Amino acid sequence: MRNAAVRALTGGVLALGAPGLLGGCGLLGGDNSAQVCADTRKAFEQYITQVRSVAANKPEQWKQATEQLAGKVEGLSGQAENPELKKALKEEGGRLRGAATSVGTGDAAQLNTVITQTPQRIGRACA
């Protein structure tokens, strides 16, 4: 579980910073999107650092870390001034909460799916 999930997470976070996704976020809007997008990327980077040290046979720790990330993403949703970004982050927080439940049982499939799709979903709101 661990290696596949960490690979998906790493690729997802790298894509969050790619040009056209979170890289140019909020430049034209005049709102706080650039900062919220940067904070979102940082939250995912911190999550990767945290789960890299968690053994695959410790699903409760994966669940806890994923729930914390969901909370951070939902919190960022509340800070976002841009309605599209606010919605994208709120939905992503919900997806992460669902993934936390399954990863807590040792099933990383949903987490892998969520993390793989995160850059595209949040990136659209940040472009």
Side-chain angles (χ1 to χ4, degrees), residues 3 7 27 30 37 51 61 79 84 86 100 102 114 124:
N3 290 336
R7 277 195 302 276
L27 295 179
C37 290
V51 296
Q61 290 180 14
Q79 295 176 20
E84 184 180 349
K86 178 182 286 288
S102 62
V114 170
R124 276 193 298 254

Side-chain angles (χ1 to χ4, degrees), residues 7-28:
R7 277 195 302 276
L9 292 169
T10 303
V13 170
L14 290 175
L16 283 173
L21 291 178
L22 295 188
C25 180
L27 295 179
L28 300 176

Side-chain angles (χ1 to χ4, degrees), residues 1-13 48 112 115-116:
M1 174 180 90
R2 182 175 182 270
N3 290 336
V6 172
R7 277 195 302 276
L9 292 169
T10 303
V13 170
I48 287 176
N112 286 337
I115 295 298
T116 300

